[in-house]
Amino acid sequence: MNALVTGANKGIGKEIARQLVAAGLTVHIGSRDAERGRRAVEEIGGGCRLLVLDVTSSSSIAAAAAQVETLDVLVNNAGIMVDGATPSESDVAAFRRTYETNVFGVLAVTNAFLPALRRSSHPRIVNISSGTASLAWSGERYATGGTGAAYRSSKAALNALTLYYAQALAGFKVNALAPGLRRTDLAARAAASDGDPAEAAAGAVRLALLPDDGPTGTFVSWDGTPVPW
């Protein structure tokens, strides 16, 4: 089996790649920066391969897809948080930049790799979302006055896209994961966190290796519990 993890040169993405390799998969390390990608491949070792991939570039996506004939697992992990502004403090450019990676990039990459995924007998797609994208939790756990609006709304859109792909792709398992706050460079709050990226990665790997009777079209937390839309 082989997998592609976007944004896999650091953070949660690199941990997902590491754990998939440990599970016996050949993993394409999707990285916009070739040198950082090479360093991740050297660090993880085993069945890793560098795949230079900028999820915001149609030519980069096409070139990457042309190198992968068959794919069993696609993990759409690449994501950005431009700022923590509220809608009233934000501007359209910040929203566009955020959506370009977090939503449009997922759509473009998924569609480009669908032919390779369709050659698999057990295709799996895992979209890395956020618990802060839950509209139900916005008035409970994350009543933050509308901060992080671009990021949070982009992940809510990603959740919707996850559901629509699950409905459209017969035989696929397509699910979204809320990884929890992890020690990454996504934002200052994340960087200061003591949350282990490997713990979140384990949740993604469970979805990547779901059995054929496993769920599709779900939004779950890193520990496997359902997250309300």
Side-chain angles (χ1 to χ4, degrees):
M1 293 178 64
N2 60 68
L4 164 61
V5 183
T6 66
N9 61 286
K10 60 182 180 178
I12 294 173
K14 186 164 73 173
E15 291 302 325
I16 293 171
R18 191 194 309 276
Q19 292 183 29
L20 287 172
V21 166
L25 279 72
T26 297
V27 180
H28 298 280
I29 301 293
S31 177
R32 180 174 57 183
D33 185 290
E35 182 54 36
R36 290 180 179 178
R38 276 191 286 270
R39 289 200 296 266
V41 168
E42 291 174 2
E43 180 181 334
I44 296 171
C48 276
R49 299 174 182 174
L50 173 62
L51 189 65
V52 177
L53 174 58
D54 180 349
V55 303
T56 67
S57 167
S58 58
S59 59
S60 176
I61 293 169
Q67 299 176 56
V68 180
E69 183 173 352
T70 303
L71 191 64
D72 300 291
V73 175
L74 170 61
V75 182
N76 287 305
N77 167 76
I80 61 170
M81 183 174 184
V82 174
D83 59 39
T86 66
S88 56
E89 298 167 337
S90 193
D91 57 34
V92 173
F95 267 71
R96 282 184 175 144
R97 184 181 169 199
T98 304
Y99 274 63
E100 195 66 46
T101 295
N102 295 0
V103 183
F104 307 146
V106 172
L107 180 72
V109 168
T110 300
N111 287 350
F113 283 89
L114 273 180
L117 285 161
R118 286 190 167 112
R119 295 187 186 103
S120 170
S121 57
H122 307 279
R124 305 287 184 260
I125 299 174
V126 182
N127 294 329
I128 304 304
S129 182
S130 169
T132 67
S134 168
L135 300 181
W137 281 355
S138 290
E140 301 170 4
R141 298 192 184 192
Y142 303 112
T144 58
T147 58
Y151 175 79
R152 293 172 66 181
S153 65
S154 74
K155 292 298 188 177
L158 175 61
N159 287 348
L161 195 59
T162 300
L163 182 59
Y164 303 151
Y165 269 124
Q167 293 171 342
L169 297 174
F172 282 62
K173 303 296 181 185
V174 187
N175 295 284
L177 179 81
L181 185 63
R182 302 296 166 183
R183 189 175 56 254
T184 69
D185 62 3
L186 179 70
R189 182 167 174 258
S193 166
D194 60 359
D196 188 352
E199 191 174 51
V205 170
R206 281 194 296 271
L207 293 176
L209 302 179
L210 281 175
D212 287 342
D213 60 353
T216 190
T218 67
F219 181 24
V220 298
S221 189
W222 58 271
D223 61 359
T225 60
V227 179
W229 298 107

